[in-house]
Amino acid sequence: MTYKLLFVCLGNICRSPAAENIMEHLIEQASSDKFAKSIVCDSAGTSSYHIGSSPDRRMSATAAKKLGIKLHGRARQFQESDFQDFDLILAMDQDNYQDILLLDPTGQYQTKVRLMCDFCSKHTLKEVPDPYYGGSEGFNQVIDLLVDACEGLLTYLRSLEEC
Ligand code: 4NP
């Protein structure tokens, strides 16, 4: 069985592709772990601003420098069918969270949608801040928060598997 994760931000060029690629990196590192291998990752944006674009160059450069990973993927917009297609939908901030829930007016998928920072154990920030209009510190902070959250997410998913 596969467990499908969808990481969601606004543009799908900075935070969510970084989250997707960091999670894939952790899964690759856990190569002997059969459960980790069953996790599938994707990402999307709540907006249509950057559909088809590669990850932001500043985000890619920061991921390469801090983690030695290359970000892949093309931006797409979150769509209603994602509610059925994914087991867990991780929103980067409150705006993303609310915009996702607006597409589920009956609330039937609400329990699938979580804030990414809920899985952090080392950082206390409740949202992954939007780095797009800021400087390099913002991109560094995104990577630090996402590594913490992805590690916590993997631990959480393993605990589900053990139940
Ligand atoms: P992301 O960052 O949501 O982390 O991909 C942004 C990318 C683009 C814009 C805003 C945030 N924008 O306004 O174009």
Side-chain angles (χ1 to χ4, degrees), residues 135-155:
S136 60
E137 254 331 287
F139 288 91
N140 283 323
Q141 183 186 36
V142 166
I143 295 290
D144 292 344
L145 281 167
L146 291 178
V147 168
D148 187 11
C150 284
E151 286 173 350
L153 186 54
L154 193 53
T155 303

Side-chain angles (χ1 to χ4, degrees), residues 76-110:
R76 73 170 178 89
Q77 189 169 16
F78 182 86
Q79 52 196 18
E80 276 175 46
S81 58
D82 289 324
F83 285 122
Q84 284 110 55
D85 292 345
F86 290 88
D87 298 295
L88 196 55
I89 296 165
L90 289 314
M92 298 298 136
D93 64 31
Q94 276 291 349
D95 285 346
N96 309 147
Y97 181 79
Q98 297 300 340
D99 287 341
I100 293 165
L101 290 187
L102 280 176
L103 296 174
D104 174 32
T106 64
Q108 63 177 317
Y109 299 112
Q110 198 172 353

Side-chain angles (χ1 to χ4, degrees), residues 8-89:
V8 180
C9 60
L10 175 64
N12 193 209
I13 55 171
C14 297
R15 293 165 292 175
S16 61
E20 175 189 356
N21 283 270
I22 289 169
M23 195 67 188
E24 286 174 346
H25 178 60
L26 292 184
I27 290 166
E28 239 174 70
Q29 284 182 328
S31 57
S32 58
D33 179 339
K34 223 176 122 206
F35 170 67
K37 286 270 172 201
S38 72
I39 300 169
V40 175
C41 304
D42 192 8
S43 64
T46 55
S47 77
S48 59
Y49 304 158
H50 296 278
I51 290 174
S53 296
S54 299
D56 182 279
R57 269 187 290 119
R58 297 163 297 172
M59 193 77 257
S60 295
T62 311
K65 193 170 119 204
K66 285 179 79 85
L67 303 174
I69 63 172
K70 191 171 166 7
L71 300 187
H72 66 79
R74 295 272 172 189
R76 73 170 178 89
Q77 189 169 16
F78 182 86
Q79 52 196 18
E80 276 175 46
S81 58
D82 289 324
F83 285 122
Q84 284 110 55
D85 292 345
F86 290 88
D87 298 295
L88 196 55
I89 296 165

Side-chain angles (χ1 to χ4, degrees), residues 119-135:
F119 296 95
C120 282
S121 62
K122 302 184 181 96
H123 295 84
T124 52
L125 267 186
K126 296 291 170 221
E127 303 179 286
V128 183
D130 181 348
Y132 192 69
Y133 290 109

